[in-house]
Amino acid sequence: MTVLNSKIPAGPLAEKWSKHKAAIKVVSPANKRKLDIIVVGTGLAGGSAAASLAEMGYNVKAFCYQDSGRRAHSIAAQGGINAAKNYQNDNDSIYRLFYDTIKGGDYRAREANVYRLAEVSGDIIDQCVAQGVPFAREYGGTLSNRSFGGVLVSRTFYARGQTGQQLLLGCYASMNRMIGQGKIEMHERNEMLDIVTVDGKARGIITRNLVTGEVERHGAHAVVIASGGYGNVFFLSTNAMGCNGGAAWQAYKNGAFFGNPCFVQIHPTCIPVHGEQQSKLTLMSESLRNDGRVWVPKKKEDAIKLQEGKMGPNDIADEDRDFYLERRYPSYGNLVPRDVASRAAKERCDAGFGVNAEGKAVYLDFKYSIERLGQDVIEARYGNLFQMYEKITDVDPYNEPMQIYPAIHYSMGGTWVDYNLMTTVPGLYAIGEANFSDHGGNRLGASALMQGLADGYFVLPYTIGDYLADEIQTPRIDVNHPEFDKKEKAVNERLQKLFNVKGNKSVDSFHKRLGNIMWDYVGMARNEEGLKFAIAEIAKIKEDFYNDVRIPGDFDAMNIELEKAGRVADFLELGDLMARDALNRNESCGGHYREESVTEEGEAKRDDENFTYVSAWEYKGENQEPVLHKEELVFEEVKLTQRSYK
């Protein structure tokens, strides 16, 4: 087993980052102009990294599969971004944000990385305000805050229900300025399909032009993966349909270890599944739990009538409503962390108290806040979210409670990186949701935007120089090198193999089969028998896929089905690794809930003696079992305790 070097600096926690910055190498402005960096992904992590690195003087090549960098899935983030500013004077601090994040992740994240995240969080807000991001403000002009799950303070900055969009537009404006100056070479509609390494170092990527079908080569002195998470392995998720783990998976197959793949987040407030033909799910922001109360009927006979359509939610009196989060978790109430709220909703529905026809929904009710604050206030805070809900469900949430149910939302797992955000492949970095580093077993709400922008604006621009300082004598990367020939040939052969199957079933049919297995056995609740069954079933689906998938259209042209086929091929392998990781981790922590490891009250029960580590998996070849490496987690500041939100 390889001993993983996380490169965490020595010294007191609060001084690690500042001392590390002082100790690492830097690249002079004249030498930055000689160095090329590839950034894969243009969401908040990739966009902020590309803009920052270009402003510093590096030559940046940015890639996205969308038709514009501003179409990255970060644009869908709704509720807000955390920062330890203490503007509400409610005793917030860098340490409290650090502690809340460690605790929220159920003590399965690195202390040093999380503290650094909290430390730079305030700088992110200053940066975004300077860019013109229209954060919500109080009447007097000061920035406003709201609360999110798992905390007892208000530290979330927001722009109504479209925070991700506004942050991404600020970031994209910075990118555009650098594109205009010729410092960023933008490649839209280009999907990364492989990584090229030369003498053990990342030196470029192979992409497919999604408009022409042409396979292309691109070289650089360093490669940054910022391609987001892999939630779409479940088929139905809150992710955009194009989101995929392909770039991170190719990093894994080229020597980068994969960290904690079984750690995925179930978000408790999503619009429930409504039919067999549905292709994705819609998130309702966690911010709604500030003013909405979650409930189900107390009486099972009322739940049955709701399921049969014989009564509506407004027919149930207040005294017959079970506000189960407020009942079970009085300190945090409706603002418990996402994993806790999701399991609580599942428990009520499994017990027969679900409120829709399938019995797979609970209510999120704004009646009480409208009575207290007035509809105008609620509309000002959440108007676009209410409008979205009504358009999808044809129900007016001002007059009737929303129906919600948990769904796959985010990946805490991802490419393993050290303190510098470098993978186990020299010169290959992973930032934002694409890496594993900051959230442990469960991410707190409004922390994804914080991590993406922290990595891109305030961490990677410093740490990448430590590596590139030794590359200033390296000439421009020659894309005619034999390693580029080899990788381009491999990509073409992989795509041709899929295209030539000429089977009878669509790509989506296999993706749905995989998603059903993942949700049922590697989803909200997991056990040994189910995980072993999932591994066996995924192998069968993979065999059927390569024998019977049908890809219509032309090979050397725009072909959306061929794109999807490549992604599903990756998902089949990734799903297998996720199930293996979940099987190995015989404890419950955060979003990873093993039914064999539960407290008497039904909460997740950790096993700190045997599992206080990061799982880092190494690829050993096609159809070979991966090898597990462990990065032991050392806690110097925080005492490990059973997590409680009561």
Side-chain angles (χ1 to χ4, degrees):
M1 187 170 68
T2 301
V3 177
L4 292 167
N5 181 7
S6 58
K7 298 181 181 176
I8 295 173
L13 185 64
E15 299 175 9
K16 287 182 186 294
W17 178 229
S18 56
K19 287 187 173 180
H20 187 65
K21 286 191 292 184
I24 57 179
K25 301 169 189 171
V26 296
V27 180
S28 73
N31 285 325
K32 286 189 178 87
R33 294 194 291 271
K34 304 174 185 176
L35 297 169
D36 301 328
I37 301 172
I38 284 173
V39 179
V40 181
T42 58
L44 288 179
S48 59
S52 299
L53 294 168
E55 286 173 357
M56 293 167 71
Y58 295 108
N59 306 303
V60 177
K61 299 177 185 177
F63 294 80
C64 66
Y65 70 80
Q66 299 93 343
D67 55 5
S68 167
R70 69 173 181 271
R71 296 288 294 278
H73 190 58
S74 296
I75 205 167
Q78 297 171 353
I81 177 171
N82 289 329
K85 286 285 200 181
N86 194 33
Y87 282 173
Q88 302 306 313
N89 199 29
D90 52 4
N91 199 22
D92 197 11
S93 64
I94 289 171
Y95 187 88
R96 189 178 293 277
L97 174 53
F98 153 74
Y99 181 79
D100 286 343
T101 306
I102 287 284
K103 178 184 175 183
D106 219 349
Y107 305 93
R108 290 295 177 261
R110 287 189 198 134
E111 280 191 336
N113 287 61
V114 176
Y115 193 89
R116 175 176 65 188
L117 176 64
E119 193 176 350
V120 304
S121 65
D123 296 335
I124 297 169
I125 304 304
D126 296 340
Q127 167 87 357
C128 294
V129 168
Q131 288 175 335
V133 173
F135 286 121
R137 294 179 181 268
E138 303 292 351
Y139 181 76
T142 56
L143 293 177
S144 184
N145 293 113
R146 56 170 52 142
S147 296
F148 260 62
V151 304
L152 295 173
V153 297
S154 294
R155 65 163 68 101
T156 305
F157 296 79
Y158 62 99
R160 211 176 185 190
Q162 45 186 247
T163 313
Q165 180 183 31
Q166 299 304 326
L167 292 172
L168 189 60
L169 289 173
C171 178
Y172 184 69
S174 296
M175 279 187 69
N176 263 348
R177 189 165 67 88
M178 291 297 102
I179 292 169
Q181 292 182 16
K183 294 303 293 181
I184 294 179
E185 184 181 293
M186 190 67 218
H187 296 266
E188 291 104 346
R189 302 292 287 139
N190 247 271
E191 183 169 19
M192 192 204 94
L193 296 180
D194 212 336
I195 292 169
V196 181
T197 57
V198 179
D199 299 328
K201 295 180 178 181
R203 291 304 195 198
I205 61 174
I206 304 296
T207 69
R208 181 173 181 270
N209 186 309
L210 301 181
V211 176
T212 66
E214 184 182 356
V215 174
E216 302 174 358
R217 311 174 180 193
H218 301 275
H221 296 89
V223 176
V224 179
I225 303 298
S227 52
Y230 48 88
N232 274 350
V233 69
F234 290 84
F235 186 69
L236 286 179
S237 81
T238 65
N239 293 178
M241 289 179 65
C243 291
N244 63 87
W249 193 246
Q250 293 309 316
Y252 168 70
K253 296 180 86 167
N254 278 279
F257 291 3
F258 208 102
N260 296 334
C262 78
F263 285 172
V264 290
Q265 180 159 82
I266 318 284
H267 199 295
T269 53
C270 301
I271 298 177
V273 177
H274 64 253
E276 286 294 316
Q277 303 306 313
Q278 195 165 352
S279 57
K280 78 174 298 293
L281 297 173
T282 304
L283 173 73
M284 286 287 103
S285 170
E286 180 168 319
S287 62
L288 294 170
R289 287 196 277 147
N290 274 276
D291 291 304
R293 299 179 71 189
V294 180
W295 65 274
V296 294
K298 286 182 179 177
K299 301 173 185 175
K300 191 167 286 188
E301 55 265 33
D302 285 346
I304 292 170
K305 289 179 181 177
L306 287 167
Q307 292 164 17
E308 293 175 347
K310 294 179 179 178
M311 69 185 307
N314 294 331
D315 298 327
I316 299 176
D318 284 8
E319 59 268 22
D320 293 327
R321 300 180 176 192
D322 177 16
F323 299 94
Y324 59 88
L325 291 177
E326 298 171 28
R327 169 173 56 81
R328 291 177 60 176
Y329 309 102
S331 291
Y332 287 77
N334 295 295
L335 286 173
V336 291
R338 292 173 176 177
D339 60 317
V340 176
S342 295
R343 281 194 293 272
K346 182 178 186 296
E347 184 275 328
R348 287 290 78 196
C349 291
D350 289 350
F353 293 92
V355 300
N356 66 353
E358 295 79 19
K360 294 291 176 83
V362 299
Y363 286 128
L364 181 61
D365 199 339
F366 294 88
K367 179 183 82 166
Y368 308 95
S369 56
I370 289 173
E371 290 173 354
R372 177 169 52 90
L373 300 169
Q375 183 170 322
D376 289 348
V377 173
I378 298 304
E379 189 171 352
R381 290 178 181 175
Y382 313 113
N384 65 312
L385 298 173
F386 277 47
Q387 184 184 46
M388 187 193 311
Y389 182 87
E390 185 172 7
K391 281 187 174 182
I392 293 171
T393 66
D394 197 28
V395 172
D396 179 4
Y398 293 108
N399 297 310
E400 188 173 311
M402 290 182 178
Q403 289 187 6
I404 56 168
Y405 194 71
I408 294 293
H409 177 59
Y410 185 87
S411 314
M412 284 80 67
T415 308
W416 184 92
V417 292
D418 62 20
Y419 191 68
N420 290 331
L421 305 181
M422 190 191 285
T423 71
T424 45
V425 176
L428 179 62
Y429 291 79
I431 60 175
E433 191 180 355
N435 74 30
F436 87 101
S437 68
D438 291 348
H439 306 294
N442 173 66
R443 176 177 66 75
L444 290 183
S447 288
L449 308 187
M450 174 174 64
Q451 187 211 343
L453 292 179
D455 287 355
Y457 281 139
F458 297 111
V459 180
L460 184 72
Y462 291 102
T463 60
I464 200 168
D466 192 48
Y467 170 79
L468 290 175
D470 295 327
E471 298 293 321
I472 58 176
Q473 298 296 323
T474 304
R476 283 279 171 86
I477 305 305
D478 181 8
V479 294
N480 295 312
H481 189 282
E483 286 298 323
F484 280 87
D485 295 338
K486 176 181 164 186
K487 285 301 179 78
E488 183 180 331
K489 182 183 177 186
V491 164
N492 275 311
E493 288 175 351
R494 192 165 82 232
L495 294 173
Q496 200 74 57
K497 179 183 177 181
L498 288 168
F499 189 75
N500 289 339
V501 173
K502 305 296 184 186
N504 299 302
K505 295 189 174 74
S506 69
V507 175
D508 279 350
S509 69
F510 291 102
H511 196 176
K512 285 182 182 179
R513 279 179 63 189
L514 172 65
N516 288 334
I517 292 295
M518 294 299 294
W519 180 250
D520 290 344
Y521 301 101
V522 200
M524 289 177 68
R526 304 160 174 180
N527 59 57
E528 181 178 357
E529 181 184 0
L531 291 166
K532 288 180 177 177
F533 176 78
I535 292 168
E537 283 299 303
I538 291 168
K540 291 178 186 176
I541 297 170
K542 182 179 178 181
E543 182 179 358
D544 291 347
F545 176 74
Y546 280 100
N547 286 323
D548 203 20
V549 70
R550 178 169 181 79
I551 301 172
D554 298 322
F555 183 79
D556 295 318
M558 180 185 289
N559 191 327
I560 294 171
E561 290 300 305
L562 183 58
E563 294 170 33
K564 289 198 293 187
R567 295 165 191 166
V568 172
D570 292 340
F571 283 144
L572 286 163
E573 296 176 355
L574 178 53
D576 175 79
L577 185 65
M578 291 170 66
R580 291 178 187 275
D581 187 43
L583 183 62
N584 169 76
R585 191 173 283 277
N586 191 16
E587 66 160 352
S588 293
C589 62
H592 170 62
Y593 189 74
R594 281 291 294 266
E595 293 175 343
E596 301 92 336
S597 184
V598 181
T599 68
E600 292 180 0
E601 296 173 318
E603 304 291 351
K605 183 181 179 182
R606 292 196 322 272
D607 180 354
D608 293 335
E609 185 176 342
N610 296 304
F611 294 100
T612 308
Y613 62 76
V614 176
S615 304
W617 294 88
E618 180 185 8
Y619 180 72
K620 300 303 286 186
E622 192 74 26
N623 298 319
Q624 301 294 312
E625 289 203 7
V627 172
L628 172 64
H629 305 273
K630 299 176 182 179
E631 179 201 340
E632 299 295 336
L633 291 170
V634 179
F635 291 90
E636 299 171 349
E637 290 286 329
V638 172
K639 181 181 178 183
L640 274 66
T641 59
Q642 182 63 38
R643 206 171 47 146
S644 173
Y645 291 95
K646 293 187 179 300

